[in-house]
């Protein structure tokens, strides 16, 4: 491989300083997109799974770049519905490789069960590949996650984060603390045992841990079954880029849950941003063609933390009921509210979105008017439009300022059929006005629209989309 690459680099020597890998930005003309990132623009649960599944139809690789069993990507196929937690949604399509990437923390027993379930239902159609660098999330981490969240609430009632209790925070903490075990370690029994002993020595504050001997044996067994799927994934992706194959990086969770840029501490423990997708896959930023931010036409949040546009009244209940807003992993009812353009602007700048996919527009169908929040007024009277305060507490009492846009009709089957046959031009005019408002406020155009749960209920807006390539980080005047 290296020899082939250096031969190619020499061949192109006459053109000056050419990168070894064909760079996406060199020849966009006439070539299909190579690397696309799909990330959440709100608090998670924006139907990223549905959009990634839609785009996976034209991809060769789909790579999950972060998180672990806390994610729940729901997909509705003609054969039935399913929720993917640790597998990339590419595994549902023939000819696609679904990679669980290096940025993930993977619970191997749960991963195996997820694969078995898909296989039993005849839905495991793509190839599964697991990164040898992904960290192993253990039952110890699940116990520690619950212990930590209980501790927070005990020391300061009301300070619990409401994590998914899947062990995410402790698994990433052990990764950073260099106590972690990686998927690639499962094949080395003696070393695995030593690593487990060290890890257990850091957990003396926990009780009811599974026996070390039992866990070591279980991990070695599951490791040997998964071994054929575990491999270095970054060289595989680099070679795919060199062949100009399409790669989709599938983010889990979302921008506002980012451990640094979200509403800390009410965040997850990874980087669910476009930058995180690169770290979590090993793909360099210079190879990325598109960054698609997925947002619902309204907002939801699970777990604790500020939610400026939350509607805890009847209308919020309406969104929960019509939108079926319950956590795909935990089953918890989601908190519901209105579209927050302050957060979308922030997410657009943070991620460099080239376009949005707006989902669940059908849920708002039939409402006379649609509230969208354009700024907040904080307790001290200051306003917030673009830059979120770094202190989550400042947002707890933020007053949203709403603009009311005209609503659009219900998405009855007849309208859905028209969209399927005529494309996006059949979308209601008032809905297109809603998209224009998103563009005006965020400088990011809407490119994809989800108008129902089913796989075929997504439509792409027609070009011109070249303005979508304009970076979101132009000077900000608003
Ligand atoms: P953790 O990721 O389980 O540590 O949870 C931290 C916070 O992120 C909690 O508020 C969770 O509800 C939220 N969270 C984690 N994963 C998801 C997700 O996939 N969708 C929505 N919220 C999530």
């Amino acid at each position: 491989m290296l020899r082939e690459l250096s031969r190619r680099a020499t061949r192109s020597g006459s053109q000056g300083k050419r990168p070894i890998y064909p760079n996406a930005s060199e020849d966009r003309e006439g070539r299909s997109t190579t690397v696309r990132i799909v990330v959440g623009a709100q608090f998670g649960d924006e139907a990223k799974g549905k959009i990634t599944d839609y785009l996976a139809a034209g991809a060769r690789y789909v790579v999950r770049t972060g998180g672990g069993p806390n994610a729940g990507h729901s997909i509705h196929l003609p054969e039935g519905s399913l929720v993917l937690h640790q597998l990339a949604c590419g595994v549902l399509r023939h000819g696609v490789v679904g990679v669980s990437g290096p940025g993930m923390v993977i619970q191997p027993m749960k991963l195996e069960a997820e694969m078995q379930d898909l296989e039993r239902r005849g839905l495991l159609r793509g190839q599964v590949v697991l990164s040898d660098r992904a960290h192993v999330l253990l039952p110890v981490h699940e116990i520690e996650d619950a212990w930590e969240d209980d501790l927070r609430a005990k020391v300061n009632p009301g300070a619990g984060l409401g994590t998914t209790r899947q062990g995410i925070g402790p698994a990433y903490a052990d990764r950073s603390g260099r106590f972690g075990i990686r998927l690639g370690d499962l094949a080395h029994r003696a070393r695995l045992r030593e690593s487990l002993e060290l890890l257990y020595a850091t957990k003396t504050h926990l009780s009811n841990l599974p026996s070390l001997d039992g866990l070591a044996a279980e991990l070695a067994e599951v490791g040997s079954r998964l071994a054929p799927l575990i491999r270095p994934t970054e060289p595989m992706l680099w070679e795919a880029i060199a062949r100009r194959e399409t790669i989709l990086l599938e983010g889990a969770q979302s921008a506002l849950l980012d451990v640094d840029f979200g509403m800390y501490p009410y965040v997850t423990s990874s980087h669910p941003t476009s930058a995180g997708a690169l770290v979590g896959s090993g793909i360099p930023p210079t190879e990325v063609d598109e960054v698609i931010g997925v947002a619902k036409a309204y907002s939801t949040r699970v777990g604790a933390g500020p939610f400026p546009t939350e509607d805890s009244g009847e209308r919020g209940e309406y969104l929960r009921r019509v939108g079926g807003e319950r956590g795909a992993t935990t089953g918890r009812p989601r908190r519901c509210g209105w579209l927050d353009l302050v957060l979308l602007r922030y997410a657009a700048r943070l991620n460099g979105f080239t376009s949005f996919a707006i989902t669940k527009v059908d849920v708002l169908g039939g409402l006379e008017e649609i509230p969208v929040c354009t700024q907040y007024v904080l307790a001290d009277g200051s306003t917030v439009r673009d830059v979120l305060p770094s202190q989550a507490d400042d947002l707890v009492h933020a007053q949203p300022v709403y603009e009311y846009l005209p609503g659009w009709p219900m998405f009855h089957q007849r309208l859905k059929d028209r969209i399927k046959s005529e494309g996006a031009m059949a979308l209601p005019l008032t809905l297109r006005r809603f998209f224009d408002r998103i563009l005006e406020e965020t400088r990011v155009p809407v490119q994809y629209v989800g108008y129902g749960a089913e796989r075929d209920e997504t439509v792409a807006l027609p070009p011109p989309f070249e303005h979508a390539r304009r970076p979101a980080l132009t000077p900000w005047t608003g």
Side-chain angles (χ1 to χ4, degrees):
M1 172 65 194
L2 275 178
R3 213 174 305 127
E4 160 63 10
L5 288 172
S6 53
R7 215 178 324 122
R8 221 178 292 155
T10 320
R11 245 189 278 134
S12 59
S14 60
Q15 294 166 42
K17 251 176 77 183
R18 259 179 92 90
I20 291 176
Y21 299 104
N23 189 311
S25 60
E26 278 183 289
D27 55 355
R28 287 190 196 281
E29 295 287 311
R31 107 191 234 291
S32 58
T33 294
T34 298
V35 180
R36 275 182 178 146
I37 299 178
V38 179
V39 279
Q42 296 165 314
F43 296 105
D45 309 317
E46 300 93 349
K48 286 183 293 296
K50 178 183 160 70
I51 296 297
T52 316
D53 173 61
Y54 171 82
L55 295 171
R60 174 79 180 108
Y61 294 87
V62 179
V63 189
R64 262 286 303 276
T65 55
N70 52 347
H73 292 179
S74 308
I75 301 183
H76 301 271
L77 306 177
E79 304 88 328
S81 300
L82 58 108
V83 182
L84 293 178
H85 298 285
Q86 303 190 85
L87 291 170
C89 71
V91 303
L92 302 175
R93 293 199 183 257
H94 292 290
V96 181
V97 183
V99 181
S100 297
M104 290 186 68
V105 285
I106 293 177
Q107 214 285 19
M109 286 69 94
K110 288 184 179 169
L111 177 96
E112 204 179 24
E114 192 172 324
M115 283 173 57
Q116 282 164 355
D117 180 52
L118 286 186
E119 214 159 19
R120 193 176 39 78
R121 298 173 64 186
L123 298 174
L124 195 59
R125 295 167 177 153
Q127 188 188 337
V128 178
V129 172
L130 310 173
S131 165
D132 57 350
R133 293 179 188 271
H135 274 249
V136 177
L137 188 154
L138 297 165
V140 184
H141 295 127
E142 291 158 14
I143 293 167
E144 196 169 19
D145 195 357
W147 180 86
E148 284 179 357
D149 223 25
D150 290 345
L151 181 75
R152 283 187 193 98
K154 201 159 77 188
V155 172
N156 180 2
L161 303 182
T163 73
T164 59
R165 302 206 164 199
Q166 295 290 320
I168 303 298
Y172 277 117
D174 280 333
R175 181 179 84 163
S176 297
R178 287 142 311 165
F179 291 108
I181 294 170
R182 303 194 294 179
L183 280 187
D185 300 331
L186 297 182
H188 307 278
R189 282 189 184 226
R191 216 182 314 143
L192 173 63
R193 167 92 206 180
E194 279 170 21
S195 304
L196 263 183
E197 278 170 8
L198 176 62
L199 187 73
Y200 264 58
T202 69
K203 310 289 181 199
T204 49
H205 56 294
L206 301 175
S207 47
N208 299 326
L209 294 186
S211 100
L212 198 151
D213 288 340
L215 184 59
E218 191 179 10
L219 281 177
E221 271 168 39
V222 75
S224 68
R225 287 193 298 271
L226 293 178
L229 310 180
I230 300 174
R231 55 181 282 196
T233 54
E234 48 292 342
M236 179 180 82
L237 298 174
W238 297 334
E239 286 167 31
I241 291 172
R243 290 193 300 269
R244 294 188 173 177
E245 288 175 329
T246 299
I247 298 173
L248 212 55
L249 302 184
E250 175 185 8
Q253 290 76 50
S254 285
L256 274 307
L257 293 175
D258 182 277
V259 65
D260 284 324
F261 296 104
M263 296 179 181
Y264 192 88
Y266 304 99
V267 293
T268 189
S269 297
S270 64
H271 292 289
T273 53
S274 53
L278 300 178
V279 179
S281 63
I283 290 181
T286 41
E287 298 296 350
V288 175
D289 297 73
E290 290 181 15
V291 183
I292 300 163
V294 187
K296 273 195 259 222
Y298 51 100
S299 305
T300 61
R301 176 165 200 161
V302 274
F307 183 2
T309 62
E310 181 168 15
D311 189 329
S312 23
E314 260 174 42
R315 296 190 310 172
E317 186 50 45
Y318 175 86
L319 293 175
R320 187 159 32 251
R321 184 167 45 78
V322 179
E325 297 295 352
R326 277 191 176 273
T329 297
T330 58
R332 292 180 286 182
R334 295 176 183 146
R335 300 156 67 193
C336 294
W338 304 104
L339 187 72
D340 186 337
L341 291 169
V342 180
L343 296 187
L344 284 200
R345 258 198 304 269
Y346 177 69
R349 297 182 85 185
L350 190 60
N351 288 283
F353 292 148
T354 53
S355 69
F356 275 120
I358 302 292
T359 61
K360 299 189 97 164
V361 299
D362 54 309
V363 173
L364 301 187
L367 296 183
E368 217 160 274
E369 53 181 21
I370 312 286
V372 295
C373 167
T374 52
Q375 56 181 317
Y376 316 137
V377 179
L378 300 187
D380 64 2
S382 61
T383 55
V384 172
R385 267 184 60 82
D386 308 324
V387 183
L388 282 199
S390 65
Q391 299 296 310
D393 282 354
D394 291 345
L395 286 170
V396 173
H397 300 295
Q399 286 300 319
V401 177
Y402 287 111
E403 185 179 305
Y404 294 85
L405 301 179
W408 47 87
M410 301 277 266
F411 271 68
H412 291 307
Q413 195 54 46
R414 220 170 41 167
L415 175 56
K416 291 185 173 187
D417 289 344
R418 268 193 60 207
I419 299 169
K420 276 175 210 162
S421 63
E422 293 168 32
M425 294 319 283
L427 291 170
L429 272 179
T430 42
L431 178 56
R432 286 197 259 155
R433 170 76 194 113
F434 178 75
F435 298 153
D436 287 345
R437 203 64 196 94
I438 293 175
L439 171 64
E440 284 158 13
E441 289 289 323
T442 63
R443 303 174 180 203
V444 178
V446 175
Q447 189 172 9
Y448 302 100
V449 183
Y451 58 93
E454 299 305 319
R455 187 179 237 180
D456 62 352
E457 292 176 334
T458 299
V459 67
L461 267 67
F465 265 100
E466 282 318 298
H467 62 293
R469 302 209 181 277
R470 183 195 51 187
L473 274 180
T474 47
W476 212 260
T477 54

